[in-house]
Amino acid sequence: MRKRSHRVALCIVGAAAFSLAGCREEEVDAQAFPDLASCQAAARVGSSAFSEADCDTAFAEAQQIHVESAPRYDALEVCEAEHGEGACGSEQQVTGGGTGSIFMPLLAGYLIGNMLGRGMPMAQPLYRSSDGRFTNATGATSYSGNSGRTQVGASQFERPPTTVGKPPMSKTTVTSRGGFGGSATGRSFGG
C-alpha cells in the first residue's frame, strides 16, 4: 500500500512539471530593423535569417498594423511627451486619412519574427519612446534599440487591438496609465 502512494505522488509531480513546461510560451527568433532598406541590405549579404521577399512582406504588415493600431493622441504635445520631440505626426500625415486633429508616433522600425508554423514571417511596428528606447504598438514591451537579433515570445506578434475610430488618448488618460508603455517589459537586441 505504501509503494502505491509513492507512485501516485511521483506521477503528480511529473504531471505538474510537464504541465508547467507546456505552459511556457514559445520563443521565436526575431530581428529588428529601422527601415525596409536595412532589412533588404542584411538579406542580400546573408546577415539575416530573412529573405528580401520576407522583408517586403513583413514591412507591409508592420505598416498596416501601424495604420490600424498605433497609439493615437489628442494633441501633438501629448504624443511627443510619450515618443520624443519630432517623433509624431498628425494621423492625416502618417496614414493619409483622418482629420488632422489626432496625432500618432511615426514608424521607427519594425520587428520580424520567424513563425515556422505560419510559413511566413510576422511583423510588428516599433515606435520611439520618450526614454530613447523603442516599443511596440501596445506599449507592452520595451526594446533597447530598433536593430539587432533577439528571441521573443510568439505573443509579441499577436495583432494589437485597433485604435482607428477610438477616442485618442489625452494627457489625463496617459498620466492615469503611467505613460504609454509605463509597465512595459524590457528586451535587448544582440548583433
Side-chain angles (χ1 to χ4, degrees):
M1 183 72 178
R2 183 154 172 93
K3 285 185 179 181
R4 185 173 185 186
S5 65
H6 283 293
R7 286 185 188 159
V8 170
L10 189 58
C11 286
I12 290 172
V13 170
F18 182 76
S19 295
L20 288 175
C23 292
R24 188 169 173 206
E25 183 177 8
E26 174 192 6
E27 294 264 316
V28 298
D29 293 328
Q31 194 163 358
F33 298 96
D35 52 40
L36 176 59
S38 300
C39 183
Q40 291 173 328
R44 278 193 295 274
V45 298
S47 65
S48 171
F50 303 100
S51 68
E52 287 187 68
D54 291 339
C55 293
D56 294 341
T57 301
F59 187 70
E61 183 178 357
Q63 285 184 310
Q64 183 64 37
I65 293 171
H66 171 61
V67 168
E68 294 172 1
S69 304
R72 285 169 161 78
Y73 302 92
D74 67 352
L76 179 62
E77 296 76 28
V78 177
C79 185
E80 288 186 337
E82 296 304 310
H83 300 282
E85 188 175 330
C88 296
S90 73
E91 183 179 41
Q92 195 170 37
Q93 292 171 320
V94 174
T95 68
T99 63
S101 62
I102 295 175
F103 299 87
M104 52 197 289
L106 303 175
L107 193 62
Y110 67 114
L111 184 68
I112 304 177
N114 191 3
M115 309 296 280
L116 296 176
R118 186 171 178 231
M120 66 171 66
M122 293 189 73
Q124 283 290 316
L126 294 176
Y127 305 103
R128 187 174 299 280
S129 57
S130 61
D131 62 1
R133 298 174 61 90
F134 294 85
T135 188
N136 57 5
T138 62
T141 304
S142 176
Y143 300 98
S144 60
N146 64 350
S147 64
R149 295 174 192 236
T150 191
Q151 283 202 320
V152 297
S155 66
Q156 295 297 310
F157 292 98
E158 290 177 1
R159 203 164 189 94
T162 184
T163 57
V164 175
K166 305 263 171 76
M169 291 187 278
S170 65
K171 185 176 182 177
T172 304
T173 307
V174 172
T175 302
S176 71
R177 293 176 49 176
F180 178 74
S183 60
T185 303
R187 305 289 299 207
S188 297
F189 289 110

